[in-house]
Amino acid sequence: MQRKLIGALVVMLMALAPRVASAQAKAGDRELLTFVNVFSALSPGSTNTNGNVFFNVGQFFTDRFELGGGPNITISVSTQTVPGTAAIVVAGRTIVAAVPASTSTSVDTTVGANAFLRYYFGASDAKIKPYVGGSVNFQKLNVSDGESISDQTFV
């Protein structure tokens, strides 16, 4: 299950990889952005993999100023493995029974939203335009009891 999920995320990442753009933005243009982040931490007995998919739309209000945002989806997969233990047998009698190994996997999916603004530098016809900007990300919109939306907000 986990390998299929990671494989699907890798294929999606390759299909949505950035490409060189040849057009320059001007006031009134819209930009569609899709990007994927995948992070995996492996340790003895556990594997944690998190993936984020962002779908954004940006609107250029001038040749240099863009405002946009959209939804983001986070998928988290956690697998824990507990090794088994052998039975303890003394003089043909089982003192402690054997415990088989066990593995548990949990999958969590959340939906959030994000907004960004960017200011682009450079000549208006430049192929590469650096920018400065800021964004706010609401990682999870369906907050649990005892949580607030600010607990899931990153700037």
Side-chain angles (χ1 to χ4, degrees):
M1 167 69 180
Q2 183 178 358
R3 286 186 179 170
K4 289 181 184 179
L5 178 63
I6 292 172
L9 288 173
V10 168
V11 168
M12 189 181 329
L13 176 66
M14 291 172 53
L16 301 173
R19 292 175 176 68
V20 176
S22 61
Q24 288 74 38
K26 58 187 180 298
D29 285 354
R30 284 202 178 108
E31 179 178 44
L32 297 175
L33 303 109
T34 303
F35 47 100
V36 177
N37 300 320
V38 178
F39 175 81
S40 191
L42 308 172
S43 62
S46 69
T47 302
N48 296 302
T49 302
N50 297 305
N52 296 311
V53 181
F54 293 82
F55 301 100
N56 285 344
V57 176
Q59 175 76 39
F60 282 88
F61 289 94
T62 70
D63 293 353
R64 298 181 181 276
F65 181 72
E66 180 184 21
L67 180 66
N72 54 282
I73 301 167
T74 301
I75 301 170
S76 301
V77 179
S78 178
T79 302
Q80 304 293 323
T81 302
V82 177
T85 58
I88 298 175
V89 179
V90 176
R93 297 186 66 187
T94 301
I95 305 298
V96 177
V99 177
S102 65
T103 300
S104 62
T105 300
S106 64
V107 178
D108 183 40
T109 303
T110 59
V111 176
N114 67 85
F116 66 87
L117 70 97
R118 296 181 183 139
Y119 182 81
Y120 292 84
F121 297 97
S124 60
D125 62 345
K127 297 225 184 253
I128 297 174
K129 292 184 117 178
Y131 64 87
V132 295
S135 65
V136 61
N137 183 14
F138 302 100
Q139 190 68 28
K140 181 174 158 184
L141 296 177
N142 55 337
V143 294
S144 305
D145 289 338
E147 286 184 326
S148 75
I149 194 74
S150 64
D151 295 332
Q152 301 295 327
T153 303
F154 303 94
V155 179

